[in-house]
Amino acid sequence: MMNNLLKRGFHLGIGAAVSGKERFEKMVQDMVDKGEMTPKEAKSLMDEWVRKGESVDRDWTNQSRAMMKERVKELGFVPEEDYRELEARVERLEKLHEEKDEGPPTTGV
């Protein structure tokens, strides 16, 4: 149920974005048609809006990642990098322990 709700919300957002983009493109084209803007200016405006959209997307992605990392940490999970470091440390300690146990032979006196 939650998965379906998330999908619907996602599709709603995508639909709104596409609809907004189409309206913006039509508005810019109308301005070109009326001589209020040159095609070069229209392209420049569209490029600027695309850059702004990409910037916002990067910001949202970075914020989402940071929030997700925090939630995962709150649940008690560790980052893979930390896990790998601990795993390597345990392996080194086990190896040292084995070497200590094998040590030099003792003479029976």
Side-chain angles (χ1 to χ4, degrees):
M1 168 121 171
M2 185 66 158
N3 191 23
N4 192 21
L5 185 60
L6 288 172
K7 278 184 185 178
R8 288 179 55 90
F10 177 75
H11 291 148
L12 176 65
I14 295 295
V18 168
S19 178
K21 177 184 177 282
E22 289 170 350
R23 282 192 217 153
F24 180 72
E25 287 173 341
K26 183 178 180 340
M27 180 191 73
V28 170
Q29 186 59 48
D30 287 347
M31 291 175 75
V32 170
D33 292 345
K34 292 176 184 175
E36 297 172 355
M37 178 182 291
T38 68
K40 186 177 180 178
E41 291 171 327
K43 181 178 178 351
S44 177
L45 182 63
M46 293 294 290
D47 290 346
E48 180 183 340
W49 277 65
V50 167
R51 280 192 303 277
K52 285 182 182 182
E54 289 169 345
S55 175
V56 168
D57 181 53
R58 277 191 303 276
D59 291 345
W60 285 354
T61 299
N62 291 337
Q63 289 173 3
S64 296
R65 282 185 182 142
M67 287 183 350
M68 183 61 75
K69 284 182 180 179
E70 188 61 33
R71 297 296 179 263
V72 166
K73 188 176 179 180
E74 288 172 4
L75 291 171
F77 292 97
V78 296
E80 185 176 358
E81 181 179 312
D82 292 352
Y83 174 81
R84 299 283 179 223
E85 283 180 26
L86 288 172
E87 190 174 47
R89 184 174 178 203
V90 167
E91 287 176 9
R92 285 192 310 271
L93 290 171
E94 287 175 343
K95 194 175 203 177
L96 284 172
H97 183 70
E98 288 173 7
E99 290 171 0
K100 182 180 175 189
D101 285 348
E102 292 174 0
T106 57
T107 57
V109 184

